[in-house]
Amino acid sequence: MALVSSINSAGFLNPGQHNLPLNKYNSLYSLDNSRFRTSKRHTRAKTSSLTLFRAAIANPEIDFSDPHWKQNYQKDFERRFSLPHLRDVFNLKPIQSTFSLKNRGPQFVDGASAPQERKNGYVNEDDRALLKVIRFASPTSAGAECIDPDCSFVEQWVHRAGPRKHIYFEPEKVKAGIVTCGGLCPGLNDVIRQIVLTLEVYGVKKIVGIPYGYRGFFDEGLPEVPLSRQVVQNINLAGGSLLGVSRGGASVSDIVNSIKASGIDMLFVLGGNGTHAGANAIHNECQKRKMKVSVVCVPKTIDNDILLMDKTFGFDTAVEEAQRAINSAYIEARSAYHGIGVVKLMGRSSGFIAMHASLSSGQIDVCLIPEVHFNLDGSYGVLRHLEHLIQIKGYAVVCVAEGAGQNFLRKSDAKDASGNAVLGDIGVHIQQQIKSHFKQIGVPADVKYIDPTYMIRACRANASDAILCTVLGQNAVHGAFAGYSGITVGICNTHYVYLPIPEVITSPRCVDPNSRMWHRCLTSTGQPDFL
């Protein structure tokens, strides 16, 4: 889990500083340079009272004096990550899956035919993937995420994604719906395409698209879009969404009424954190009404800000496309006398795009992200550092995430259609501050500002994202036929898994300022701490 490792005066994670909810889900913390273990012989059983006191502050629900705390924690984790299933509401009998890979011909291992399970490629219900694989030796290790002060390794297993041997829907009777919500993102069409193709492999004949996000459920002027292999065959060759997108929507009750009236049995929802929250509410309402509807999400955000997941589709493409803007800013800055290029990239609460784009380009001198505080003025501020760069290099390139430095701008109570706060334009602000600063010190500066936001998210998915979209789309269908609902599919620790929606929407995933990746970015740019 990649929560921000921000340290407060007590040496623990301060969720409030980053608007993280103070609840049981935020059980991870980071420690300052203090070492709680005085020697390697110091066992967990002999943890000092001070250590237990501090651990209790960070994890008030865990009694570290209990010798069985680790087992209890693992049981609680297993309970939280248990997947909601239609069997929780209905008395259902599974049927043999119609999804099979036997038509690829017999497979042989050491001259013998592989067993039936191997031929079909089914995933066992009890298969699990390990969420974390690094055993940190110390809370002060770069990127350390520890539950207790001794950094005990606690196994955290999540459900592996893939086709099951038994399913809970009769494919010929299924009507499946697909909806894309929020903003555009590279790869939407790829996911739509794979969902449709996989549904047809199972034998589903009725597949429809809900136009323009959740709006399509209640706007009578927006009819369902029939989908089939012929319709979606080449949609992955273009950006955007075949079904269109929109933010916001009707009440959950109205949406569920529409689902019932349309006879939809499976709903596949593509979107970010807000969309996931809406999908979870739809799932809960369907269960409350005892409607046999499977609601499965596919996480979509170029910001890469969904908890627990290695990455979300669209992110790799966004980073790749950002290179064009950064390269343009570099050329402009390098070609001008005292040129300074400023590039603003997307990232409301997480600076993953800015960080990865800065790392991959090798042309960025200053990278500013929402998770790391910085000063513009002062002896160690950004502006003084730009002076230094102009003196030694003659030019500079700055990359800033849209959510960075909002403390410098006038706050607004305005919200967008998704309920997100409308941010001030930090890119324009920095551009103006640079011009004003260099004018005051009597040094000419040619400042060029580039905002490629909509160019980045409207393009076609690159090869890496296309593969990710393919697997996510297929696994979403497998999860629905397996009878799961209120889940999302993602890639965690390089494996594709199913996760209950509540566990991924408790807060945005953020860049850890103590992580190795951020340290690598600082090494690449050579920037100091702007404090």
Side-chain angles (χ1 to χ4, degrees):
M1 186 177 293
L3 293 178
V4 179
S5 299
S6 175
I7 313 299
N8 61 16
S9 58
F12 296 101
L13 174 70
N14 181 5
Q17 181 176 343
H18 297 282
N19 298 317
L20 302 181
L22 295 168
N23 58 25
K24 65 179 181 179
Y25 301 110
N26 294 323
S27 60
L28 306 179
Y29 65 93
S30 295
L31 305 176
D32 58 18
N33 291 327
S34 301
R35 286 295 302 273
F36 284 99
R37 290 179 290 181
T38 56
S39 71
K40 292 184 179 179
R41 297 187 182 92
H42 190 131
T43 64
R44 295 181 182 87
K46 297 181 180 179
T47 307
S48 68
S49 58
L50 175 60
T51 300
L52 290 175
F53 174 73
R54 292 189 173 182
I57 294 176
N59 298 283
E61 297 182 2
I62 301 178
D63 180 9
F64 291 107
S65 63
D66 181 358
H68 303 294
W69 74 263
K70 184 187 292 187
Q71 293 91 325
N72 294 334
Y73 182 91
Q74 289 172 327
K75 288 180 181 179
D76 180 64
F77 183 90
E78 183 177 354
R79 176 189 59 80
R80 285 167 42 202
F81 283 81
S82 176
L83 300 179
H85 199 280
L86 294 175
R87 291 183 306 234
D88 301 338
V89 179
F90 303 97
N91 183 20
L92 301 175
K93 292 184 178 180
I95 62 176
Q96 178 66 39
S97 176
T98 55
F99 182 86
S100 175
L101 300 179
K102 285 196 299 182
N103 59 353
R104 290 177 178 253
Q107 298 181 14
F108 295 90
V109 179
D110 296 330
S113 177
Q116 189 74 6
E117 294 286 336
R118 177 73 174 271
K119 289 181 182 178
N120 289 298
Y122 294 131
V123 170
N124 193 289
E125 285 286 350
D126 294 327
D127 282 0
R128 298 291 187 270
L130 192 59
L131 195 61
K132 300 175 185 176
V133 294
I134 297 179
R135 179 170 184 171
F136 293 101
S138 165
T140 59
S141 296
E145 297 172 348
C146 303
I147 295 171
D148 72 325
D150 285 322
C151 259
S152 300
F153 186 78
V154 180
E155 295 180 2
Q156 299 175 350
W157 300 97
V158 291
H159 291 252
R160 184 183 174 203
R164 268 50 175 177
K165 183 176 181 179
H166 295 103
I167 59 177
Y168 291 84
F169 289 93
E170 297 180 47
E172 66 274 8
K173 298 181 180 179
V174 166
K175 180 178 180 181
I178 307 172
V179 60
T180 55
C181 305
L184 289 180
C185 178
L188 282 171
N189 282 334
D190 299 71
V191 178
I192 294 171
R193 179 176 181 271
Q194 283 301 320
I195 290 176
V196 172
L197 297 184
T198 309
L199 284 168
E200 289 195 350
V201 171
Y202 272 93
V204 178
K205 305 298 183 184
K206 299 177 183 177
I207 310 171
V208 298
I210 310 301
Y212 298 103
Y214 288 137
R215 177 182 295 275
F217 284 109
F218 65 89
D219 192 325
E220 295 181 357
L222 298 174
E224 295 175 345
V225 180
L227 299 175
S228 65
R229 176 180 291 269
Q230 290 71 27
V231 174
V232 304
Q233 185 62 49
N234 296 314
I235 63 173
N236 60 309
L237 302 180
S241 169
L242 171 71
L243 304 177
V245 295
S246 72
R247 298 187 183 277
S251 69
V252 172
S253 179
D254 290 341
I255 292 175
V256 175
N257 288 341
S258 177
I259 291 173
K260 184 175 182 180
S262 299
I264 291 176
D265 304 292
M266 296 179 179
L267 180 63
F268 299 97
V269 184
L270 284 59
N273 279 301
T275 300
H276 273 62
N280 192 56
I282 293 170
H283 155 74
N284 290 333
E285 183 66 16
C286 287
Q287 286 207 329
K288 179 180 177 182
R289 298 190 190 186
K290 295 188 174 356
M291 293 169 54
K292 187 187 174 185
V293 178
S294 180
V295 181
V296 179
C297 287
V298 180
K300 172 231 68 173
T301 166
I302 66 172
D303 289 351
N304 200 34
D305 62 351
I306 296 184
L307 285 177
L308 303 176
M309 300 183 185
D310 293 353
K311 65 178 178 179
T312 53
F313 77 82
F315 174 67
D316 278 353
T317 306
V319 172
E320 184 174 305
E321 287 298 311
Q323 305 304 302
R324 302 177 187 271
I326 291 174
N327 189 54
S328 295
Y330 166 77
I331 292 174
E332 288 284 352
R334 183 70 177 82
S335 302
Y337 178 68
H338 289 179
I340 300 176
V342 179
V343 179
K344 185 184 77 171
L345 300 176
M346 296 187 77
R348 294 182 56 85
S349 57
S350 305
F352 287 103
I353 294 180
M355 177 178 69
H356 282 255
S358 297
L359 266 170
S360 57
S361 72
Q363 297 168 333
I364 296 297
D365 299 295
V366 176
C367 178
L368 306 174
I369 60 176
E371 296 88 343
V372 179
H373 177 74
F374 61 90
N375 290 321
L376 289 175
D377 300 308
S379 300
Y380 302 100
V382 173
L383 298 176
R384 182 62 63 86
H385 184 60
L386 291 177
E387 282 186 48
H388 173 69
L389 292 172
I390 291 297
Q391 291 175 358
I392 64 172
K393 290 176 56 179
Y395 67 95
V397 183
V398 179
C399 178
V400 57
E402 62 177 323
Q406 291 297 305
N407 54 300
F408 298 120
L409 307 172
R410 178 183 297 178
K411 293 185 178 181
S412 170
D413 295 329
K415 305 284 186 182
D416 63 18
S418 296
N420 300 314
V422 176
L423 301 179
D425 196 329
I426 185 62
V428 170
H429 179 76
I430 288 180
Q431 176 196 28
Q432 294 173 345
Q433 291 297 306
I434 293 174
K435 287 182 177 180
S436 176
H437 175 78
F438 278 90
K439 183 177 181 181
Q440 289 178 4
I441 63 175
V443 177
D446 190 345
V447 185
K448 296 295 191 300
Y449 174 55
I450 298 176
D451 180 356
T453 298
Y454 296 104
M455 295 175 62
I456 285 177
R457 72 180 198 174
C459 61
R460 173 188 174 186
N462 66 7
S464 175
D465 272 329
I467 295 172
L468 178 59
C469 291
T470 296
V471 183
L472 293 178
Q474 292 177 359
N475 280 326
V477 177
H478 296 321
F481 267 105
Y484 297 121
S485 181
I487 67 168
T488 189
V489 57
I491 182 169
C492 301
N493 185 26
T494 73
H495 295 283
Y496 292 92
V497 301
Y498 296 131
L499 301 167
I501 292 176
E503 293 298 327
V504 302
I505 61 173
T506 56
S507 64
R509 176 177 179 241
C510 299
V511 173
D512 180 358
N514 189 45
S515 67
R516 290 292 297 123
M517 191 60 73
W518 178 244
H519 293 171
R520 292 170 184 135
C521 185
L522 296 180
T523 301
S524 176
T525 62
Q527 69 190 64
D529 294 329
F530 300 117
L531 301 176

